[in-house]
Amino acid sequence: MHKTNSNFKAGFVNIVGNPNVGKSTLVNAFMGEKISIVTPKVQTTRHRILGFLTQENYQIIFSDTPGIVQPNNEMQNRMLAYSFSALEDADILLYLTDIEDIKRVNEDFVNKAKNLLTPLFVIINKIDIRNPEEVAKAKIFWQEKFPSAALFEVSALKGNGVKELFTRILDTLPYHPPYFPEDELSDKSERFFVSEIIREQIFLNYYKEIPYAVEVQIEEFKEKEDITVIKAKIFVLRESQKNIIIGSKGAMIKKVGIEARKNIQQFLGRKVYLELFVKVRKGWRDDENTLKQFGYFD
Ligand code: GDP
Ligand code: MG
């Protein structure tokens, strides 16, 4: 801990925005590590995930959030609540957008964000694939919506503008002692990250409603001498989805298991034995007790 250093800066940098604008990609770029899973599909992130970046003179706590969704079930209500909660405890708020967001503004959220005293940065992402004229138009749009915000344009994926943005974050960060021990990287456990790595493979390998019907729970996590034994349950809503997850002769679940195991081994830096089970849990997305058990109220 750097408690004695009066020049130490620390604070919460909360990243909010619509689904799929690149919030998790930006957090990972800042952290230089994969803290949050990224997929081409919307609503990949379902929780608030904190990543701690601690250096000699500062500690930035990046908070990744789910996208600002229109809730259709209790799980999505919880996801939206995480996004709103990120408005409450930010030292700096990063509102991430893509140029297409102009057509899908959640006015409720924007108004709440606008009335905060928290420093607000509006960041237009994906400039590597967007037309500069469209980006310029989006800048005017957002400056009108958020008159007191600082505007940035970046590519979280390619890195353009990320350094400049980081410098401004550091400049704006308040003087404060560190909140977390310097050797900690996140508020989430290894088990959580392992379940996210498995869920990432579900998002990448299945289509339509399947990824949104799935939740992953770690049932066993045993560190043996030379291998970590992990047993995980994949919950789906219906029997038919169970069959799709397993695939013909188990081919799909095998593929998911192989990919996930590789990534878990890399994450843990150890050999891993991974076993996956598929279970039907009818209506889990609307059942408060199950959602609690799945960590949606943490
Ligand atoms: P989130 O839902 O806001 O967390 O978005 P993700 O970080 O999961 O990213 C959604 C998709 O956008 C993924 O396919 C990313 O690879 C892609 N993406 C994110 N940032 C950029 C960017 O700067 N440029 C491009 N071209 N794609 C990006
Ligand atoms: Mg995300």
Side-chain angles (χ1 to χ4, degrees):
M1 291 274 217
H2 308 272
K3 272 190 187 121
T4 50
N5 184 349
S6 64
N7 285 324
F8 200 89
K9 288 182 155 195
F12 286 75
V13 176
N14 298 353
I15 303 174
V16 296
N18 280 339
N20 228 33
V21 295
K23 297 178 295 299
S24 300
T25 306
L26 184 63
V27 171
N28 292 339
F30 283 140
M31 292 290 300
E33 306 235 8
K34 197 159 156 192
I35 280 283
S36 212
I37 61 172
V38 171
T39 82
K41 294 194 172 71
V42 297
Q43 298 184 29
T44 306
T45 309
R46 292 181 182 168
H47 299 266
R48 257 189 94 171
I49 301 169
L50 305 185
F52 315 146
L53 185 63
T54 309
Q55 295 293 337
E56 192 64 28
N57 286 311
Y58 64 84
Q59 178 174 74
I60 305 177
I61 298 127
F62 289 106
S63 168
D64 191 14
T65 59
I68 306 158
V69 293
Q70 281 302 328
N72 286 314
N73 54 49
E74 192 52 32
M75 175 187 76
Q76 290 174 336
N77 278 334
R78 292 303 309 151
M79 287 164 63
L80 187 59
Y82 285 131
S83 289
F84 271 99
S85 78
L87 295 176
E88 311 288 335
D89 59 13
D91 289 295
I92 304 169
L93 193 65
L94 308 192
Y95 186 94
L96 197 61
T97 79
D98 189 352
I99 54 168
E100 287 158 3
D101 275 358
I102 291 179
K103 297 170 218 145
R104 44 172 193 159
V105 177
N106 182 321
E107 296 291 347
D108 242 20
F109 195 89
V110 162
N111 284 330
K112 199 145 184 223
K114 188 159 72 183
N115 292 324
L116 295 172
L117 297 171
T118 317
L120 173 68
F121 296 177
V122 174
I123 300 148
I124 297 162
N125 188 30
K126 306 197 187 184
I127 57 165
D128 56 305
I129 52 164
R130 300 301 182 211
N131 172 336
E133 278 167 30
E134 300 277 339
V135 173
K137 250 201 274 178
K139 273 180 125 171
I140 294 168
F141 175 88
W142 288 108
Q143 196 70 80
E144 276 172 12
K145 276 248 176 273
F146 291 118
S148 60
L151 255 67
F152 297 84
E153 31 184 291
V154 305
S155 167
L157 191 66
K158 305 278 182 209
N160 317 33
V162 173
K163 224 177 174 173
E164 291 80 352
L165 174 59
F166 187 82
T167 304
R168 278 290 286 280
I169 289 171
L170 217 46
D171 285 347
T172 313
L173 208 66
Y175 288 98
H176 195 283
Y179 290 90
F180 298 96
E182 61 186 315
D183 57 346
E184 274 178 30
L185 261 185
S186 172
D187 66 324
K188 294 280 188 273
S189 64
E190 271 187 346
R191 284 171 89 110
F192 173 80
F193 287 114
V194 167
S195 72
E196 288 287 274
I197 291 168
I198 298 166
R199 207 166 56 79
E200 179 178 44
Q201 287 305 318
I202 306 276
F203 266 69
L204 294 174
N205 283 287
Y206 301 94
Y207 304 94
K208 294 185 184 153
E209 92 287 3
I210 299 291
Y212 306 98
V214 164
E215 181 66 30
V216 176
Q217 289 286 296
I218 306 300
E219 297 288 314
E220 193 180 313
F221 192 104
K222 273 202 192 127
E223 287 188 0
K224 305 217 166 152
E225 205 174 315
D226 53 353
I227 202 165
T228 302
V229 174
I230 299 171
K231 294 185 182 164
K233 268 192 190 142
I234 297 170
F235 290 98
V236 291
L237 294 163
R238 285 191 293 277
E239 203 65 39
S240 60
Q241 293 166 340
K242 180 175 167 175
N243 295 331
I244 293 170
I245 294 280
I246 292 168
S248 163
K249 295 189 181 133
M252 282 304 289
I253 188 97
K254 191 173 168 196
K255 179 167 183 254
V256 165
I258 289 169
E259 284 301 311
R261 190 173 70 90
K262 252 196 268 170
N263 294 340
I264 295 166
Q265 285 192 158
Q266 200 170 27
F267 169 70
L268 295 176
R270 300 190 89 221
K271 248 178 112 173
V272 165
Y273 171 83
L274 177 66
E275 224 175 293
L276 299 174
F277 305 87
V278 191
K279 282 256 170 201
V280 177
R281 178 77 65 92
K282 286 198 176 88
W284 71 261
R285 291 185 308 196
D286 283 300
D287 182 60
E288 203 164 296
N289 283 329
T290 308
L291 288 171
K292 264 186 199 145
Q293 188 197 325
F294 289 170
Y296 283 91
F297 287 82
D298 298 351

